[in-house]
């Protein structure tokens, strides 16, 4: 059965390493007959959450008028959510963090999602992505019925495109095919 896949590419570089892994994941998902859409977060206007809780009293509508409402609509519609980020100081980048924080407006309306996580880092150590992964997992843990389906580690890459030579490219494609 076909699934609706939403890929949130947090890379600040179009064609950056985590963004390229998103493309490979999407290629595999599409070839398996799924619907897939990638949102390049940097191209969207998503302000930080101001914790005003306007959303609480207005049915999940945020006081900030930007692209986040569209992203939340797509997150609600998707059965599968892929979250991708390069490692920034052992954590997720600002683009992804803003989306996670602004999800507070409708986080209770995003249940029963399958999650895949994609991370890239210049370092090649085994622990370089631990905190980044915990950020993703922490978000998903707040959503009822969320299920982690896979993690892709793109280690030892810094310059845009370096990931093309790494096994993570094939892993992303194969993981996308298994959605």
């Amino acid at each position: 059965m076909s699934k609706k896949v939403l890929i949130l590419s947090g890379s600040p570089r179009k064609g950056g390493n985590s963004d390229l892994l998103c493309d490979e994941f999407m290629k595999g998902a599409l070839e398996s007959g799924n619907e897939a859409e990638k949102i390049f977060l940097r191209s969207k206007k998503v302000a930080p959450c101001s914790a005003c809780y306007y959303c609480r009293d207005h049915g999940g509508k945020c006081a900030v008028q930007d692209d986040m409402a569209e992203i939340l609509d797509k997150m609600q519609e998707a059965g599968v959510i892929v979250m991708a980020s390069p490692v920034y100081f052992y954590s997720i980048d600002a683009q992804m963090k803003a989306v996670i924080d602004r999800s507070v407006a409708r986080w209770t309306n995003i249940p029963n999602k399958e999650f895949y996580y994609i991370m890239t880092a210049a370092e090649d150590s085994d622990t370089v992505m631990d905190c980044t992964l915990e950020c993703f997992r922490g978000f998903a843990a707040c959503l009822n019925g969320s299920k982690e389906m896979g993690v892709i580690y793109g280690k030892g890459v810094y310059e845009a495109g370096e990931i093309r030579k790494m096994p993570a490219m094939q892993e992303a494609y194969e993981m996308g095919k298994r959605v």
Side-chain angles (χ1 to χ4, degrees), residues 25-37 176-177:
F25 188 101
M26 187 161 97
K27 180 179 169 186
L30 290 170
E31 285 181 13
S32 292
N34 298 291
E35 291 180 53
E37 176 182 4
K177 282 197 69 94

Side-chain angles (χ1 to χ4, degrees), residues 91-107:
S91 188
I92 57 176
D93 66 7
Q95 290 82 355
M96 185 61 68
K97 181 64 171 139
V99 167
I100 289 172
D101 289 350
R102 288 284 301 286
S103 294
V104 72
R106 290 192 245 160
W107 67 277

Side-chain angles (χ1 to χ4, degrees), residues 114-150:
E114 295 179 357
F115 280 91
Y116 292 87
Y117 308 121
I118 296 173
M119 302 168 294
T120 57
E123 288 185 43
D124 198 14
S125 74
D126 288 339
T127 59
V128 68
M129 298 182 189
D130 290 353
C131 291
T132 309
L133 183 56
E134 285 308 308
C135 288
F136 287 141
R137 286 177 171 162
F139 172 64
C142 294
L143 308 178
N144 287 332
S146 67
K147 191 187 310 186
E148 183 176 311
M149 303 301 290

Side-chain angles (χ1 to χ4, degrees), residues 2-165:
S2 172
K3 295 181 181 178
K4 190 171 241 180
V5 179
L6 177 64
I7 301 168
L8 300 174
S9 177
S11 177
R13 298 188 292 188
K14 196 160 200 69
N17 293 309
S18 61
D19 191 46
L20 290 172
L21 290 173
C22 288
D23 290 342
E24 282 301 298
F25 188 101
M26 187 161 97
K27 180 179 169 186
L30 290 170
E31 285 181 13
S32 292
N34 298 291
E35 291 180 53
E37 176 182 4
K38 180 179 83 168
I39 297 176
F40 185 63
L41 297 180
R42 182 173 171 223
S43 70
K44 299 291 184 181
K45 290 189 184 337
V46 179
C49 180
S50 63
C52 68
Y53 295 107
Y54 179 92
C55 57
R56 178 187 55 206
D57 301 323
H58 293 87
K61 182 173 170 41
C62 185
V64 179
Q65 301 299 303
D66 59 11
D67 294 328
M68 192 59 200
E70 170 196 349
I71 294 169
L72 279 170
D73 288 344
K74 291 175 188 264
M75 289 174 77
Q76 285 180 250
E77 294 168 6
V80 175
I81 298 175
V82 179
M83 301 178 84
S85 177
V87 173
Y88 275 34
F89 295 98
Y90 302 104
S91 188
I92 57 176
D93 66 7
Q95 290 82 355
M96 185 61 68
K97 181 64 171 139
V99 167
I100 289 172
D101 289 350
R102 288 284 301 286
S103 294
V104 72
R106 290 192 245 160
W107 67 277
T108 58
N109 298 332
I110 311 173
N112 306 315
K113 305 300 179 191
E114 295 179 357
F115 280 91
Y116 292 87
Y117 308 121
I118 296 173
M119 302 168 294
T120 57
E123 288 185 43
D124 198 14
S125 74
D126 288 339
T127 59
V128 68
M129 298 182 189
D130 290 353
C131 291
T132 309
L133 183 56
E134 285 308 308
C135 288
F136 287 141
R137 286 177 171 162
F139 172 64
C142 294
L143 308 178
N144 287 332
S146 67
K147 191 187 310 186
E148 183 176 311
M149 303 301 290
V151 179
I152 298 166
Y153 301 88
K155 297 189 290 186
V157 292
Y158 179 74
E159 296 297 329
E162 280 185 301
I163 197 69
R164 286 188 176 103
K165 302 176 279 185

